[in-house]
């Protein structure tokens, strides 16, 4: 960890385009990248694999503290691989079931606490682009650059639908919209680290905007600061 490395925090609800935008911004800036959602998904997945009761805060927090999560660049320009305790779980953590498990365990304060240091460790020179829900509010409150990405629920469901279909997964738009609305409500209403923009975040509504347009608006936050 290096407290002086600059951080660009990109927060927002699921499907707002954070992953794509954060990756593009990190590539452009030459900074490291933290996909904090993948960490919550990995712990949701690992807890499920161990047959833990997802509402058992102590058991899941223990799992969060002891599970090894590695992010590996495949080196061929493909997606970052997510390795959980030595096993490649990249595809497994992207299912809607894993997303729902992530959202459930993310509501447990003990689990969030157990994952703080894992996330802080990503802050290294020359800088970090941190993608999540509470990057600018809780994990990196001193981040120099903070963006909150939003989009309408209908557009976010449609984006997710296209992504999952492209991966050959069998999903319906209606069920995705329902899932997204449920997850938004849970993420926004939980008592610990609820989803909300930091007071000093630049809020960008990405509804109807192209990826390059949004990337440019995010990079402008870094460059004009
Ligand atoms: O961003 P992604 O959809 O991968 O995140 C999965 C879930 O993990 C979210 O719905 C949210 O409940 C949780 N999460 C969180 N805090 C973060 C990142 C993700 O609570 N910083």
């Amino acid at each position: 960890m290096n407290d002086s490395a600059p951080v660009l925090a990109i927060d927002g609800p699921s499907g707002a385009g954070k992953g794509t935008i954060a990756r593009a911004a990190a590539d452009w800036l030459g900074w490291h990248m933290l996909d904090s959602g993948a960490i919550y998904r990995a712990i949701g997945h690992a807890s499920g694999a161990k047959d833990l009761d997802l509402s058992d805060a102590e058991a899941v927090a223990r799992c969060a503290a002891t599970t090894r999560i590695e992010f590996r660049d495949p080196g061929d320009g493909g997606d970052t691989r997510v390795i959980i305790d030595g096993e490649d779980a990249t595809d497994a953590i992207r299912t809607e079931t894993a997303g729902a498990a992530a959202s459930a365990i993310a509501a447990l304060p003990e689990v969030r606490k157990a994952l703080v240091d894992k996330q802080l460790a990503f802050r290294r020179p020359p800088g970090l682009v941190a993608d999540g829900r509470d990057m600018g509010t809780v994990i990196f409150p001193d981040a120099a650059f903070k963006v909150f990405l939003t989009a309408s629920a209908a557009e976010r469901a449609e984006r997710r639908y296209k992504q999952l279909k492209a991966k050959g997964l069998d999903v319906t738009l209606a069920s995705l919209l329902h899932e997204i609305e449920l997850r938004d409500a849970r993420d926004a209403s939980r008592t610990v680290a609820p989803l909300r923009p930091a007071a000093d975040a630049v809020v960008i509504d990405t509804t109807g905007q192209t990826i390059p347009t949004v990337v440019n608006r995010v990079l402008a936050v870094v460059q004009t600061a």
Side-chain angles (χ1 to χ4, degrees):
M1 202 213 311
N2 184 327
D3 286 348
S4 65
V7 174
L8 165 60
I10 303 185
D11 290 308
S14 41
K18 295 187 308 286
T20 309
I21 303 302
R23 168 52 56 207
D27 286 348
W28 172 265
L29 294 163
W31 289 5
H32 300 283
M33 161 95 195
L34 163 60
D35 175 0
S36 62
I39 293 183
Y40 284 94
R41 285 171 179 271
I43 300 307
H45 176 73
S47 301
K50 287 179 180 149
D51 257 342
L52 300 181
D53 170 354
L54 296 185
S55 62
D56 183 342
E58 226 176 89
V60 179
R62 218 175 305 122
C63 175
T66 54
T67 301
R68 269 185 307 118
I69 307 166
E70 295 160 65
F71 291 92
R72 271 188 216 151
D73 180 349
D76 60 3
D79 288 348
T80 303
R81 309 306 296 177
V82 182
I83 318 291
I84 304 178
D85 284 336
E87 285 198 21
D88 192 320
T90 313
D91 296 330
I93 66 160
R94 291 296 156 204
T95 62
E96 287 306 298
T97 313
S103 176
I105 61 122
L108 305 171
E110 295 85 346
V111 173
R112 302 196 74 86
K113 197 162 160 244
L115 294 174
V116 170
D117 285 347
K118 272 192 188 16
Q119 296 174 80
L120 293 178
F122 281 80
R123 185 175 195 170
R124 281 177 286 129
L128 176 69
V129 177
D131 157 1
R133 304 289 192 290
D134 60 345
M135 300 295 98
T137 49
V138 176
I139 305 296
F140 304 108
D142 65 331
F145 316 109
K146 298 182 187 180
V147 165
F148 191 87
L149 294 185
T150 62
S152 68
E155 178 147 334
R156 288 186 286 128
E158 195 149 334
R159 290 179 190 167
R160 199 63 136 200
Y161 179 76
K162 284 185 191 148
Q163 273 175 0
L164 294 175
K165 275 287 178 196
K167 287 185 183 165
L169 294 172
D170 186 23
V171 286
T172 67
L173 189 55
S175 69
L176 282 177
L177 179 58
H178 181 64
E179 268 295 319
I180 280 185
E181 284 172 342
L182 277 183
R183 192 129 48 103
D184 279 0
R186 198 161 38 200
D187 288 350
S189 66
R190 68 185 174 213
T191 50
V192 56
L195 176 64
R196 62 173 173 79
D200 50 350
V202 176
V203 178
I204 300 177
D205 186 342
T206 71
T207 307
Q209 301 218 9
T210 64
I211 292 169
T213 302
V214 180
V215 173
N216 283 336
R217 289 182 65 187
V218 169
L219 287 173
V221 171
V222 177
Q223 283 148 5
T224 57

